Amino acid sequence: MNTQNVKTAATKTTETWAEGQKSNYYLGDGFTSAEGYAEEVRNYWLNREAAALKAPVEIDVHRFHDALGTLYPLNWASSENGNCETFMFAEMYCGEVTEIYARIGVRYFCLRNYNHMTHAQIIASVKEAFDLNQK
């Protein structure tokens, strides 16, 4: 094996890599600035969060209570009359998106949305999805 060729190739590879390291990052398709890279990463995670959202689906009482006992509930709340109840997992699914569970009367629902949703927003979202608003 000719070690001279290996040394030359390694030196050229290192020089090429080092040229791009001044304030740029290699993203596979070319070099971009640190600000551009940060914006691309931010957009990537925002898109992942948006893709993780899931519309409300109706579930049975067993799945609701199993979820309540699975992980520590976050923002567990109920309405004053006790007719509605919501909670979400303290563990995030992706970024700030988590599994959310709701009870309206004797019906139970699950959705995936942002952890900053309030009890009222969750209930409104479920009622809208299932046309439960009284007219």
Side-chain angles (χ1 to χ4, degrees):
M1 178 176 180
N2 186 344
T3 57
Q4 182 60 34
N5 290 342
V6 172
K7 287 180 184 176
T8 303
T11 304
K12 289 187 184 254
T13 302
T14 304
E15 288 170 1
T16 304
W17 178 81
E19 288 171 12
Q21 297 305 308
K22 293 173 186 159
S23 63
N24 296 328
Y25 296 90
Y26 185 70
L27 297 177
D29 57 347
F31 290 95
T32 187
S33 67
E35 293 81 19
Y37 176 75
E39 188 63 25
E40 286 184 46
V41 170
R42 180 180 178 278
N43 288 334
Y44 169 80
W45 284 109
L46 291 175
N47 289 334
R48 288 285 306 265
E49 280 185 344
L53 301 179
K54 193 169 82 173
V57 294
E58 192 160 1
I59 60 174
D60 65 10
V61 64
H62 303 293
R63 183 165 169 209
F64 181 86
H65 287 289
D66 284 346
L68 188 54
T70 300
L71 293 171
Y72 183 78
L74 180 67
N75 300 333
W76 193 3
S78 67
S79 57
E80 288 184 24
N81 63 5
N83 190 43
C84 300
E85 176 181 13
T86 61
F87 71 91
M88 55 185 73
F89 283 163
E91 184 176 293
M92 298 303 113
Y93 182 84
C94 177
E96 294 185 13
V97 174
T98 189
E99 298 284 336
I100 301 172
Y101 293 84
R103 177 184 59 80
I104 300 175
V106 294
R107 296 179 69 180
Y108 299 86
F109 306 91
C110 176
L111 61 144
R112 194 179 303 140
N113 215 313
Y114 292 99
N115 64 358
H116 51 76
M117 286 185 76
T118 65
H119 172 74
Q121 289 172 326
I122 295 166
I123 295 300
S125 172
V126 171
K127 283 183 174 182
E128 181 181 324
F130 286 88
D131 199 24
L132 300 175
N133 291 318
Q134 295 176 349
K135 296 174 179 160

